[in-house]
Amino acid sequence: MNNFDFKNPTKIIFGKDTIEKVKEEIPQDAKVLLLYGGGSIKKNGIYDQVKTALANVEVVEFGGIPANPEYSVLIEALKVIKDQNITYLLAVGGGSVIDGTKFLSAAALFDGDTPWDILTKNIRTEKGMPFGTVLTLPATGSEMNSGAVITRAETKEKLAMGGPGLFPEFSILDPQVITSIPQRQLANGLTDAFTHVLEQYMTYPIGAILQDRFAESILQTLVEVAPTVIKDPTDYKAASNFMWSCTMALNGLIQKGVPGDWAVHAIGHELTALFGIDHARTLAVIAPSHYKFNFEDKKEKLAQYGERVWNITEGSIDDKAYAAIEKTVDFFHELGIDTKLSDYTKDYEGTAEEISKRFTDRGWTGLGEHQTLSPDKVEKIVKMAY
Ligand code: NZQ
Ligand code: ZN
């Protein structure tokens, strides 16, 4: 196992009817900016619950943060923060609203030329404006980590940012919120969380027995609850296990002491930036090709995953590893998630070259757990995913 530091300061408030507890977490003298997305919270009652809880606090609102939070919209919110002397941010939404809020937390205290530099110059945020979240969509884990991904439509870019100053102070996780989530987003959430675990697990053995078991247990739980989550989101047992699995998949715990990959996400973000494909679906497109292309490097962990998560007991390491990739593809298909780029766009020709060029231009010459995945290899993986 590798050496590691581990600190996660986010307070989690988990369970039925917990949204009202938001009032206990926000300082009474704060001037709060309540941030939300396209309006789902107004239809499903979450907005009313938050507003009731914050009746005695000064609250300004900013709605309209789109899926794949858009830089130009966030710059409007930044103006509100400055003009109205906001002191605390509250994200009520899924990964997009929470990530947008993290950007604002960083940008509000940033004194460089333009906040876009935070993304292009990899400026880590040591201290941001304090914020909390009310999670409405289990998927990204953003509610308990310090990363964010921001999109800029003007340049078709989607870039990551983060830093120790960007953990939410608190996150409220009421699994009942999933009852209003459309099936497509439920399937996305399951796929995103599943792939988060794979990014931190599907590398090479390093003797981290406990982390492997943590990772496998999250995968097994997602596989077990997925059919019920999709069929009946009012099933609280499934909903609560789904929500907690998504948080645990990307709150830092399972990545400690082990190598990480994250090439699937890096490539996937480009597919969202270029074609607007939902984040989770880009992962389902790239992951199978990535694992096939890097088969020799990853086959031991692939086989272990096949044995422990999919009960594949027959055959050699190679056989089990290959069957595990097939099982993963089947799982995505059962969720209604297509796994080829051509399922999403007819204009896929040239995509591999474009992504390879972007990675070269950014100096991303060695992705993956061995830092050996060069742009020419990325190009081959994307072509395999057509
Ligand atoms: O905008 P509204 O109207 O709220 O509707 C949203 C949105 O259309 C809807 N929704 C959310 N909660 C709902 C609901 N509809 C009904 N009932 C509810 N309770 O769902 C749609 C998608 O929301 P979004 O927040 O975009 O989804 P998700 O949570 O999957 O977030 C995706 C974003 O997170 C980034 C992705 O790249 C993408 O931009 N990620 C963030 C990560 C992180 N910070 O750690 C890691 C991930 O790998 C990912 O990259
Ligand atoms: Zn993801």
Side-chain angles (χ1 to χ4, degrees):
M1 201 191 305
N2 294 330
N3 293 0
F4 63 88
D5 293 351
F6 184 43
K7 179 176 180 185
N8 189 317
T10 302
K11 174 176 178 181
I12 295 294
I13 300 169
F14 188 97
K16 266 187 194 166
D17 305 327
T18 45
I19 293 177
E20 63 181 24
K21 295 199 171 172
V22 67
K23 64 171 174 282
E24 293 161 26
E25 301 304 321
I26 294 185
Q28 287 302 302
D29 59 352
K31 186 163 182 187
V32 177
L33 184 62
L34 190 169
L35 294 136
Y36 60 95
S40 68
I41 62 165
K42 295 213 167 157
K43 294 188 203 120
N44 57 24
I46 296 172
Y47 174 83
D48 292 336
Q49 292 180 58
V50 172
K51 287 290 277 190
T52 305
L54 294 182
N56 297 323
V57 183
E58 195 175 357
V59 179
V60 178
E61 294 180 23
F62 187 93
I65 297 175
N68 306 311
E70 162 58 31
Y71 181 70
S72 58
V73 175
L74 296 170
I75 291 299
E76 294 299 314
L78 186 60
K79 283 198 196 108
V80 176
I81 292 173
K82 301 221 158 147
D83 292 350
Q84 307 249 11
N85 299 317
I86 297 294
T87 63
Y88 203 100
L89 307 175
L90 178 65
V92 183
S96 294
V97 173
I98 298 175
D99 281 11
T101 301
K102 287 178 178 173
F103 168 78
L104 292 170
S105 164
L109 305 188
F110 180 68
D111 61 3
D113 294 342
T114 156
W116 187 241
D117 284 350
I118 299 171
L119 291 131
T120 50
K121 296 187 176 161
N122 288 323
I123 298 173
R124 282 169 66 75
T125 301
E126 299 295 329
K127 188 178 183 321
M129 181 172 279
F131 69 99
T133 89
V134 174
L135 180 67
T136 67
L137 172 53
T140 63
S142 189
E143 66 279 7
M144 200 180 175
N145 68 39
S146 59
V149 195
I150 304 299
T151 296
R152 192 168 189 175
E154 194 191 343
T155 52
K156 290 199 172 178
E157 282 172 290
K158 186 171 188 192
L159 298 171
M161 58 177 281
L166 293 181
F167 283 98
E169 288 199 329
F170 69 89
S171 284
I172 298 189
L173 277 57
D174 180 344
Q176 296 172 118
V177 298
I178 83 157
T179 52
S180 63
I181 300 176
Q183 273 203 1
R184 161 176 156 184
Q185 299 297 349
L186 291 169
N188 284 353
L190 289 157
T191 302
D192 193 21
F194 197 86
T195 314
H196 291 160
V197 179
L198 295 182
E199 296 270 37
Q200 299 162 92
Y201 172 96
M202 206 61 79
T203 57
Y204 53 87
I206 190 141
I209 301 170
L210 182 60
Q211 281 89 328
D212 278 3
R213 297 281 188 195
F214 280 149
E216 288 150 3
S217 66
I218 297 169
L219 297 171
Q220 286 168 316
T221 306
L222 288 168
V223 170
E224 184 174 333
V225 301
T228 314
V229 165
I230 298 287
K231 204 168 107 228
D232 181 12
T234 66
D235 184 309
Y236 186 77
K237 182 175 158 192
S240 52
N241 283 288
F242 166 42
M243 191 173 240
W244 188 225
S245 295
C246 292
T247 304
M248 290 299 290
L250 196 48
N251 66 358
L253 178 68
I254 67 169
Q255 80 189 23
K256 295 301 159 194
V258 300
D261 180 348
W262 294 106
V264 175
H265 271 68
I267 303 171
H269 289 331
E270 299 304 323
L271 297 181
T272 302
L274 290 167
F275 301 108
I277 302 168
D278 290 353
H279 168 65
R281 289 165 198 257
T282 67
L283 309 176
V285 166
I286 298 300
S289 301
H290 180 60
Y291 297 144
K292 281 179 197 159
F293 185 85
N294 294 290
F295 192 81
E296 283 305 314
D297 282 342
K298 292 179 181 289
K299 66 184 183 186
E300 283 185 61
K301 289 301 287 283
L302 276 165
Q304 179 178 313
Y305 154 76
E307 282 170 19
R308 296 187 185 175
V309 176
W310 296 113
N311 303 316
I312 299 163
T313 52
E314 302 290 313
S316 63
I317 295 266
D318 284 38
D319 294 338
K320 287 178 187 166
Y322 193 78
I325 300 174
E326 295 299 298
K327 280 281 189 188
T328 311
V329 172
D330 292 347
F331 177 59
F332 294 150
H333 286 164
E334 279 158 26
L335 292 172
I337 303 261
D338 290 321
T339 54
K340 287 286 174 191
L341 185 56
S342 52
D343 295 323
Y344 296 91
T345 174
K346 289 193 189 73
D347 300 325
Y348 55 83
E349 289 297 345
T351 306
E353 291 84 351
E354 170 66 22
I355 294 177
S356 164
K357 182 178 174 307
R358 284 176 168 214
F359 283 15
T360 307
D361 291 349
R362 282 186 212 138
W364 293 7
T365 50
L367 299 183
E369 65 271 24
H370 296 293
Q371 282 107 52
T372 51
L373 202 69
S374 48
D376 59 307
K377 292 179 182 163
V378 167
E379 187 173 323
K380 290 188 180 121
I381 291 168
V382 178
K383 277 198 179 136
M384 284 165 69
Y386 283 177

